[in-house]
């Protein structure tokens, strides 16, 4: 465990950031799963779910939870699945 005041503060900051990033990452996983489920079921609202997923993924990239290219790749693959459904 940290002994210095600055190290204690740093440990607390890291913990808070980890929890925040974990929440964002979980949200990304859930919206991706929703889009994929809509595609497999042939739902008409797959496009709406895709737009929601784009927003969540872009925000995760903006916050630094996901790399910019990773976010782009996820969006591209989801869009391809939705377009193949049409």
């Amino acid at each position: 465990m940290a002994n210095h005041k600055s190290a204690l503060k740093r440990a607390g900051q890291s913990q808070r950031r980890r929890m925040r990033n974990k929440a964002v990452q979980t949200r990304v996983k859930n919206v991706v799963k929703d889009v994929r489920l809509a595609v497999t079921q042939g739902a008409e609202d797959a496009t709406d779910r895709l737009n929601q997923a784009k927003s969540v993924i872009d925000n995760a990239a903006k916050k630094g939870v996901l790399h910019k290219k990773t976010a782009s790749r996820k969006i591209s693959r989801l869009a391809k699945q939705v377009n193949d459904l049409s």
Side-chain angles (χ1 to χ4, degrees):
M1 186 60 202
N3 291 320
H4 295 286
K5 187 176 179 181
S6 61
L8 287 168
K9 179 179 177 180
R10 194 73 170 137
Q13 288 174 333
S14 295
Q15 180 71 8
R16 285 191 295 276
R17 288 188 183 118
R18 187 180 71 83
M19 296 305 290
R20 196 177 308 132
N21 290 342
K22 185 177 176 185
V24 172
Q25 186 65 266
T26 302
R27 180 87 175 106
V28 168
K29 287 179 185 178
N30 286 336
V31 295
V32 167
K33 186 169 66 173
D34 286 345
V35 173
R36 290 197 175 134
L37 189 65
V39 168
T40 56
Q41 293 176 345
E44 287 119 20
D45 66 338
T47 308
D48 295 333
R49 291 185 187 189
L50 174 64
N51 289 334
Q52 182 183 8
K54 282 182 185 179
S55 176
V56 171
I57 293 169
D58 282 337
N59 279 330
K62 186 172 130 186
K63 291 177 181 179
V65 177
L66 291 179
H67 191 273
K68 183 175 69 169
K69 290 188 178 184
T70 302
S72 178
R73 185 176 63 245
K74 283 182 180 292
I75 291 170
S76 175
R77 288 178 181 173
L78 288 174
K80 186 177 186 318
Q81 289 178 351
V82 170
N83 289 338
D84 289 346
L85 179 68
S86 300

